Amino acid sequence: MQKRKMGNILFFCCWMILLSVKAAAAEEYIIYKDPNKPLNKRIKDLMKRMTLEEKIGQMIQIDRTKATPNVLKKYYIGSVLSGGGSVPRKEATAEDWIDMINGFQKGSLSTRLGIPMIYGIDAVHGNNNVYKATIFPHNVALGVTRDPQLIKKIGAATALEARATGIPYVFAPCLAVCRDPRWGRCCESYSEDPNIVRSMTEMVPGLQGDIPSNGRLGVPFVANKEKVAACAKHYVGDGGTVKGINENNTIIDRHGLLSIHMAGYYSSIIKGVATVMVSYSSWNGVRMHGNKELVTGFLKGTLRFRGFVISDWAGIDKLTYPWHTNYTYSILEGVNAGIDMVMLPYNYTEFIDGLTYLVNNNFVSMTRIDDAVKRILRVKFQMGLFENPLADYSLTKHLGSPEHRELAREAVRRSLVLLKNGANADEPVLPLPKKATSILVAGTHANNMGYQCGGWTITWQGLSGNITIGTTILSAIESTVDPETKVVYKENPDSEFVKSNNFSYAIVVVGETPYAEGSGDSLNLTIPAPGPDIMTTVCASVKCVVVLVTGRPVVIQPYLAQIDALVAAWLPGTEGQGVADVLFGDYGFTGKLARTWFKTVDQLPMNVGDSHYDPLFPFGFGLTTEPVKA
């Protein structure tokens, strides 16, 4: 009897131990950490575990200069970004970037729930903040190619070069339909034609990967660790502001807004774009950062966008004037309009305090907060950040790779537009002969990598000089001509120099100096001095080809009669060899204008189809040449 009693006790103890082991195992199993569970179940499980403080933290994006592992841990920060030119150090390596980003990420992973942050950067023509990265032509050039598959390849290369530096999120593509070249961001717009802009949304699957055949259209999608989350921007109407003034008012009826400026968003959402950035501009007087009708109603409701909506840099601050006055009101308007992640980028504690107050006092509902956080978590889960939060070093080899530079060189070749080629078709100037006694290369932009790349390169507004690795137009010419041809470079030669040297011909490379938004706005669109003087001096004395390096059409009509051949090279990026490839006939000119080239700025805005359409070179214009047979 005693033995049976002891046996029962022993059995009971073993049973209790087994139950406790099972309970412990069950407790250790967390649904949101299981990649095999459906995405919505993971989101739901994580959401129910989160406090208001943790949810608000996810809605915040701060600049790297304000980020530390401890800040990310303490405030549960959801995202960090590099503003234009915000880098770990000058000429930072890919490894430097990864070290910095992983350091921030470890702060996020050490929080109670271990939600990874997402690091974002403006990669608008390649991974353009990063030294040695391949800098592709700006969008104004890419629209000329009218080749969605080329744009898709550029997207894939940009994604690889972003991942090479540990960055999983890029603020691209810009889907603005620039209707007035006086706007300083026109260089970021593919075209004045919404159909071209729509076709260029192949950049989205280039960056993110193709949605699989059994996947759902319209749901955020990032294929793997070699792809990045993309951002369609700037929603909506930024390319239609009055006089092209940055952040100004776009005055247009609803039909015009939807048919012209919304074009790229329709296709981007179908292709699974992960995020959408709101524009600084207004629509008929209502600032987009506070436009609930278009952000929540149309984008999230009608278009059924399922990713997250992000503000522009300090975008909610600009809901009041002067900026950042009555900041609590700005938070209320921006968040209730439907912005999910707020690019602050510095004043995060003020935002936390303000939004917490608004929620606790029922000015912002928990439903609105939960909508924002679900959207952010959906993107993070879908792109695999929970499984692979830390960047590794295996992709660093892709930064500035020969394959990507060759792709950029092809893009340069195909984006050149030949606007004039001799006095008549019987006497073409281009292609140029490689063999000549001596040739003159002149101009401010012939030997200047920074000018060649334009704004959003290494720094926000761009720089002059030898700013990164690449091939200038001058060095490309020198490597293309016959070894016996003497190439003489003089940036700003005087008339006597040009006449006395008996040059066979001259190549003059002039254009705009670098700019980005704001400082790039121009009401006169003239070529900066001494560009016009260089053109007139050289072209008066020798047969000349003028290559324009600009982010948009500029005033050229007064000089056109003197110029023998005129080429629009736009902002070609680091691979200047693509310009020489076509000038000397290794490839033919094929590009067709994706923008109208005006005669005078008094005609602006003027787009194809307008009743007052009277261009210098019409939309779609572009002379062609055949490659020279060896």
Side-chain angles (χ1 to χ4, degrees), residues 51 64 91 165 168 189 222 271 278 304 314 327 419 454 457 497 563:
T51 63
R64 56 162 288 280
E91 299 185 3
T165 51
S189 170
V222 181
K271 292 172 182 178
V278 183
R304 298 186 61 78
Y327 190 57
L419 299 173
T457 310
F497 179 85
I563 295 168

Side-chain angles (χ1 to χ4, degrees), residues 16-83:
M16 291 302 292
I17 291 168
L18 184 62
L19 282 177
S20 65
V21 168
K22 283 186 175 180
E27 197 173 315
E28 285 173 12
Y29 176 73
I30 299 172
I31 291 174
Y32 81 83
K33 292 186 177 181
D34 185 348
N36 298 313
K37 287 293 180 185
L39 188 144
N40 285 335
K41 283 192 175 181
R42 298 180 76 185
I43 295 171
K44 187 176 180 181
D45 179 66
L46 180 50
M47 287 287 294
K48 73 182 182 184
R49 300 170 188 270
M50 295 176 72
T51 63
L52 175 61
E53 187 181 10
E54 288 166 328
K55 289 176 180 178
I56 288 175
Q58 283 302 299
M59 296 172 66
I60 292 171
Q61 184 179 67
I62 62 174
D63 186 72
R64 56 162 288 280
T65 56
K66 293 293 180 182
T68 66
N70 189 54
V71 164
L72 270 73
K73 179 180 181 180
K74 182 177 179 181
Y75 296 101
Y76 312 105
I77 302 296
S79 182
V80 180
L81 85 151
S82 277

Side-chain angles (χ1 to χ4, degrees), residues 337-394:
I339 295 170
D340 304 311
M341 182 176 281
V342 183
M343 190 187 297
L344 292 170
Y346 304 128
N347 56 324
Y348 55 91
T349 54
E350 185 182 7
F351 178 84
I352 291 168
D353 293 342
L355 185 53
T356 303
Y357 169 83
L358 290 167
V359 173
N360 288 337
N361 289 275
N362 300 316
F363 293 105
V364 175
S365 69
M366 275 306 301
T367 303
R368 171 75 273 269
I369 298 297
D370 286 348
D371 171 60
V373 178
K374 283 175 187 174
R375 290 169 176 276
I376 293 163
L377 293 178
R378 181 178 290 121
V379 171
K380 289 184 177 184
F381 275 123
Q382 201 289 319
M383 64 190 298
L385 265 185
F386 280 79
E387 287 68 56
N388 297 290
L390 296 174
D392 60 47
Y393 298 86
S394 64

Side-chain angles (χ1 to χ4, degrees), residues 89-110:
R89 65 175 179 84
K90 188 178 179 182
E91 299 185 3
T93 64
E95 289 81 3
D96 291 332
W97 281 92
I98 290 175
D99 289 344
M100 176 190 71
I101 293 167
N102 280 351
F104 295 149
Q105 189 68 281
K106 286 170 184 175
S108 295
L109 298 177
S110 67

